[in-house]
Amino acid sequence: MKIADIITQVSCKYGAPMGRDNIGTQPVTITSGNNCRIVKKNQTKVYEKKVHLDSGGYDAGGAYWGIGKPLMVRFTKDLSYIEFYRTN
């Protein structure tokens, strides 16, 4: 899964959109092992990546997030769940 599958190009016809929509709800996943990285067979794994923002606060697709704490995204492989959030 590439971050480009999540951070797609947005229409800036009327200016850059403020952020992006979250999609779905986070699945309940029970993990085990070192750093809780082992997911049981019948459960959905949730991935997490940092979203790169340029010096103006825009992501690679053109959505505006502003400057501040790092922007992260949680998602499932099938993209039925996508959640953007700032770290503390």
Side-chain angles (χ1 to χ4, degrees), residues 8-84:
T8 57
Q9 198 67 34
V10 295
S11 171
C12 294
K13 183 177 179 180
Y14 301 106
M18 298 288 284
R20 293 175 180 270
D21 291 334
N22 293 328
I23 298 171
T25 57
Q26 184 172 356
V28 176
T29 303
I30 300 169
T31 59
S32 62
N34 280 347
N35 300 319
C36 295
R37 297 194 186 264
I38 299 170
V39 176
K40 298 190 185 251
K41 283 184 194 178
N42 61 344
Q43 295 191 351
T44 304
K45 184 171 183 176
V46 176
Y47 300 88
E48 182 177 64
K49 291 192 178 199
K50 183 176 181 180
V51 177
H52 173 76
L53 301 177
D54 68 15
S55 61
Y58 293 86
D59 68 24
Y64 178 73
W65 295 94
I67 307 293
K69 295 181 179 184
L71 179 66
M72 304 293 290
V73 61
R74 287 185 195 112
F75 59 94
T76 54
K77 192 173 185 178
D78 67 359
L79 303 181
S80 62
Y81 165 68
I82 302 173
E83 178 186 10
F84 295 94

